[in-house]
Amino acid sequence: MTVPKGHVTPAVEIKNVVKRFGAITAVDNMNLAIKEGEIFSLLGPSGCGKTTLLRMVAGFENIDNGEILIKGKVVNHIPPYKRECNLVFQQMALFPHITVFENIAFGLRERRRPQSEIKKKVTEMLEVVNLPGIENRFPHQLSGGQKQRVALARSIVLDPKVLLLDEPLAALDRKLRKEMQGELRRVQQKVGITFLYVTHDQKVALSLSDRIGIMYEGRLNQIGTPTEIYETPRTSFVASFMGSCNIFPGKAFSLNDNHIEVRDEHGLRIRAQKCKDMKVEDVHGISIHPEMIEIIPEGHNLPSENSSTNTISGQISDVFYQGDFTELKVLIKSTGQSVTVHLNRRSDNPVSIVKDQNVSIHWNSCHSNLLVG
Amino acid sequence: MSPRIWFLRIVSILAYIFLWAPVIVIIVFSFSANKFGIRWEGFTLQWYYELLDNQTVWDACIRSLVIALVTVVVSTALGTLTAYGLYKLKFRGKQLLRTSILLPIVMPEVVTASALLVFFIKVTPLTLGYPTIIIAHIVFSTPLAVFVILGRMQRIDWAWEEAAMDLGATRIRAFRRVIGPVLLPGIAGAAALIFPWSFDDFVITYFVAGIGNTTLPIYIFSQLRHGSSPVVNVIGTLFVLFTSVSLLLFMLAEKKSRTTMGT
């Protein structure tokens, strides 16, 4: 086999993979390459096919079409017990009738490793997940976080080519989830195993991953770093899924060398900066994050109007206090659209915000995000 | 306390007396000196000694035990496999099969008995005796095992099986190391139900036993036909004792597994 210079075999490769359940296409011709040693998150709403894809990689679902490769080797017809990947289950699935030690040793015993090696490796693993000294307990004697660590140790001890994680934090409460996130990252950096992480939780994906793939209706919408995915979503689905609820579909026109203007169906005009790798005619709309919008109460000086700013007048129709920020709904009177604005508690935004107040919303065109789909 | 509660208490007590009275009578009369075992005439252990000396009773008892043990082993094994297939495999007519497993349980025993008798005599070359009794017992016990074990299967987390396979176990290894042990309380429960069922069975055994293969229930029945004997009371008492102890043990085992499995 000839490998081009500088080419590194991906840990996992998904090639044109299709999976149908009856009339429903769960995974629709997907392509994806996961790099060695990264934490890759498949993020999407429930029913988008992410778990199905994970189960296909693990070997629990047949593949209708396409190929899945682990470290360059096609695994389509390899049964789960022979695949060099391990799955951490959402409900952990620790074996209830055996001790923590035996749970972690399970895979090693299947591989008929000598007792001395098993003992050494299991003890080592318990150190890695910060749980020394609990080997003789049974799963029902563990807390949620401890179960999670044991489940992780049970898979990692086998040194898989890739570790598959199926929403392993979903069952934990918020505080513990945050703690375990850090723990997962720490363990991953220590052992250096590639993680393929499936979740519907944007926050977990953003803070944990090296790269994120957004999945919707069996297809990948966008792949990128957490920053790219959050700040420059390319489709209206990704934009809304990542919390940017202000989406204005429309046609784009060039204003000058650096700026374009998008006119949406209601006649609203929004300015944005040109993007060098995107043709004007490919732009199908604009999204703007609620936290990037400034509120200017009536009577205050408006910033000067030019091609790099957006200033639209409206009226506050709703105020939702959230603690660390306040969510406002601003009604644009001329078009009847509603814009969501987040005011940070510590920001220098105007002191009094009340319902029915007339305001202007303002943002710089560099914060307008271009959508292509 | 309100009169309504008193009423409820009295009714409950009466219901229990109704349930327990015959059993208590048998226990009491097993110690009675009356030689027909039907009246209290002073305490004696005579009938217990007589039972120890009665070779026919022992033969019948051992025959019943052997039959019950073979039945328990074979029907729980068959029942576990059948339940696994009915639970895990996907095929057409599965629901029908699953429901029809109850048929032998609800069918009148005489029907099953006569059907088996005709089957053994007309269709198979078997002569009536040990093999036919055991086959008959397996026939009526296996559905019960399937039923109980299916119930257990519905309450376990099947991610355990996938986890085992993911960690390198084949389906069979996963069954041996995880699913089997986890199902054990269900399998033990099935065994605990089947054993007395097979040990006690009269109707079906009577039909297919042939000549000379007297099981304990058949022996008791024949004894009663020739007039009541206090030895029968003794057997009854031992039965009650034996069943109660095994029920108690089963309940303890079940309670322990509930705490560890969290089911």
Side-chain angles (χ1 to χ4, degrees):
Chain A
M1 198 171 76
T2 54
V3 178
K5 246 187 185 168
H7 177 85
V8 184
T9 316
V12 178
E13 259 181 294
I14 315 283
K15 283 184 176 169
N16 308 314
V17 166
V18 176
K19 175 73 189 177
R20 292 183 202 91
F21 293 108
I24 298 155
T25 305
V27 176
D28 191 1
N29 201 18
M30 236 180 88
N31 285 287
L32 175 66
I34 292 155
K35 294 179 205 157
E36 182 78 41
E38 74 173 338
I39 302 186
F40 188 95
S41 290
L42 268 180
L43 175 63
S46 52
C48 71
K50 56 192 194 298
T51 298
T52 305
L53 187 78
L54 196 76
R55 289 175 58 79
M56 284 196 282
V57 178
F60 292 118
E61 299 285 353
N62 294 323
I63 302 162
D64 288 338
N65 212 341
E67 279 181 338
I68 292 178
L69 293 85
I70 295 176
K71 282 299 266 175
K73 212 172 79 189
V74 178
V75 296
N76 285 28
H77 298 294
I78 296 179
Y81 47 88
K82 284 186 184 159
R83 290 197 189 188
E84 290 178 286
C85 58
N86 287 112
L87 177 58
V88 177
F89 290 79
Q90 183 170 6
Q91 301 297 336
M92 292 130 197
L94 295 180
F95 306 129
H97 60 299
I98 50 179
T99 59
V100 167
F101 183 96
E102 284 304 323
N103 262 282
I104 300 175
F106 191 94
L108 297 170
R109 292 215 192 281
E110 282 305 314
R111 285 161 180 73
R112 307 199 184 279
R113 295 286 161 75
Q115 179 64 27
S116 58
E117 186 194 327
I118 292 177
K119 181 134 185 38
K120 187 170 151 273
K121 278 199 166 169
V122 172
T123 315
E124 244 173 52
M125 259 307 121
L126 282 167
E127 297 276 338
V128 170
V129 297
N130 269 340
L131 283 177
I134 67 152
E135 44 271 74
N136 293 324
R137 291 205 209 153
F138 282 90
H140 73 277
Q141 297 168 314
L142 304 179
S143 70
Q146 286 174 325
K147 279 185 194 166
Q148 197 63 76
R149 287 162 207 245
V150 173
L152 196 62
R154 181 174 73 173
S155 295
I156 289 180
V157 77
L158 300 174
D159 196 23
K161 297 269 190 287
V162 55
L163 188 69
L164 313 169
L165 301 104
D166 184 10
E167 310 228 18
L169 306 182
L172 305 178
D173 64 57
R174 217 173 78 173
K175 193 163 164 269
L176 200 56
R177 183 155 57 225
K178 196 127 195 208
E179 198 184 304
M180 281 306 297
Q181 255 177 63
E183 193 65 17
L184 275 179
R185 258 257 280 264
R186 188 184 63 76
V187 170
Q188 197 266 348
Q189 273 158 12
K190 188 154 184 170
V191 296
I193 295 172
T194 312
F195 275 24
L196 175 53
Y197 193 101
V198 156
T199 181
H200 66 271
D201 187 325
Q202 294 89 340
K203 284 200 170 138
V204 169
L206 286 175
S207 63
L208 190 68
S209 325
D210 295 312
R211 286 195 307 152
I212 297 173
I214 305 282
M215 229 179 137
Y216 181 56
E217 290 183 338
R219 290 166 178 272
L220 266 177
N221 257 248
Q222 189 174 349
I223 299 175
T225 63
T227 318
E228 284 164 2
I229 292 287
Y230 184 78
E231 292 178 12
T232 54
R234 283 295 167 243
T235 69
S236 55
F237 171 76
V238 177
S240 69
F241 190 68
M242 296 312 292
S244 166
C245 22
N246 302 312
I247 292 161
F248 305 96
K251 268 199 153 140
F253 301 92
S254 197
L255 274 184
N256 54 37
D257 284 353
N258 297 320
H259 297 91
I260 60 165
E261 187 174 79
V262 169
R263 291 174 204 163
D264 86 343
E265 58 206 47
H266 301 281
L268 198 68
R269 290 155 179 248
I270 297 165
R271 291 176 196 129
Q273 267 174 10
K274 269 186 187 161
C275 186
K276 59 179 183 314
D277 47 325
M278 216 185 287
K279 287 186 201 146
V280 176
E281 56 268 30
D282 288 340
V283 175
H284 281 80
I286 292 269
S287 74
I288 172 78
H289 278 106
E291 70 272 19
M292 304 314 288
I293 303 176
E294 207 182 324
I295 290 276
I296 300 162
E298 203 176 24
H300 284 59
N301 288 334
L302 290 175
S304 59
E305 183 82 0
N306 61 46
S307 59
S308 69
T309 63
N310 289 291
T311 309
I312 304 164
S313 65
Q315 186 185 32
I316 293 175
S317 60
D318 256 320
V319 180
F320 302 101
Y321 182 67
Q322 304 282 335
D324 53 345
F325 67 91
T326 303
E327 182 171 301
L328 307 175
K329 298 280 181 198
V330 177
L331 184 74
I332 300 170
K333 278 182 175 164
S334 55
T335 63
Q337 285 160 291
S338 183
V339 176
T340 305
V341 180
H342 287 175
L343 290 188
N344 208 315
R345 193 171 153 229
R346 209 189 148 209
S347 71
D348 49 1
N349 272 297
V351 272
S352 67
I353 295 290
V354 289
K355 200 167 176 286
D356 298 331
Q357 191 178 354
N358 284 321
V359 294
S360 288
I361 52 173
H362 170 84
W363 71 92
N364 198 297
S365 61
C366 67
H367 293 133
S368 294
N369 170 62
L370 305 179
L371 303 174
V372 294
Chain B
M1 211 178 287
S2 73
R4 222 185 269 191
I5 301 274
W6 273 112
F7 176 73
L8 202 61
R9 275 197 167 189
I10 290 163
V11 170
S12 317
I13 290 166
L14 284 176
Y16 269 92
I17 290 175
F18 181 73
L19 281 176
W20 283 93
V23 176
I24 292 166
V25 165
I26 278 190
I27 295 172
V28 170
F29 283 173
S30 75
F31 296 105
S32 169
N34 178 285
K35 67 175 177 179
F36 298 107
I38 49 168
R39 203 178 308 127
W40 184 254
E41 283 175 8
F43 182 81
T44 180
L45 285 177
Q46 186 195 344
W47 316 123
Y48 283 81
Y49 293 125
E50 241 174 58
L51 178 69
L52 283 177
D53 287 338
N54 189 333
Q55 195 53 45
T56 327
V57 173
W58 283 115
D59 286 348
C61 188
I62 286 172
R63 207 169 278 132
S64 280
L65 269 176
V66 169
I67 291 166
L69 280 175
V70 174
T71 304
V72 162
V73 171
V74 176
S75 22
T76 47
L78 273 179
T80 308
L81 289 174
T82 312
Y84 188 87
L86 283 177
Y87 193 84
K88 289 291 285 184
L89 302 183
K90 294 186 181 103
F91 55 90
R92 278 167 74 98
K94 173 168 151 172
Q95 197 51 48
L96 190 75
L97 269 185
R98 228 168 127 160
T99 315
S100 67
I101 205 83
L102 287 169
L103 212 59
I105 301 177
V106 294
M107 204 140 67
E109 261 192 295
V110 274
V111 177
T112 313
S114 43
L116 280 167
L117 181 63
V118 172
F119 177 74
F120 287 140
I121 293 175
K122 299 285 180 194
V123 183
T124 71
L126 295 167
T127 43
L128 297 181
Y130 253 129
T132 53
I133 297 176
I134 290 174
I135 292 170
H137 280 215
I138 291 168
V139 165
F140 71 74
S141 301
T142 306
L144 193 70
V146 173
F147 191 65
V148 172
I149 295 164
L150 261 180
R152 179 80 196 165
M153 283 179 170
Q154 268 150 4
R155 285 189 297 145
I156 73 167
D157 183 357
W158 284 93
W160 288 329
E161 188 184 46
E162 287 193 342
M165 288 174 74
D166 185 69
L167 294 167
T170 59
R171 203 177 276 279
I172 290 168
R173 293 278 305 162
F175 190 88
R176 271 187 52 191
R177 291 190 66 191
V178 180
I179 296 303
V182 165
L183 284 179
L184 208 56
I187 297 172
L193 279 173
I194 289 168
F195 187 85
W197 234 30
S198 163
F199 195 75
D200 288 355
D201 181 74
F202 175 74
V203 177
I204 292 173
T205 316
Y206 194 69
F207 270 70
V208 300
I211 298 155
N213 296 294
T214 316
T215 63
L216 199 54
I218 293 177
Y219 173 79
I220 294 172
F221 181 71
S222 67
Q223 287 300 297
L224 290 173
R225 274 209 305 197
H226 304 305
S228 162
S229 153
V231 175
V232 172
N233 291 341
V234 173
I235 298 170
T237 306
L238 294 177
F239 257 53
V240 170
L241 199 74
F242 176 73
T243 328
S244 310
V245 169
S246 48
L247 193 69
L248 211 68
L249 286 177
F250 172 67
M251 272 164 61
L252 285 175
E254 174 78 346
K255 199 177 165 193
K256 188 164 174 272
S257 91
R258 258 169 218 273
T259 50
T260 54
M261 307 282 172
T263 50

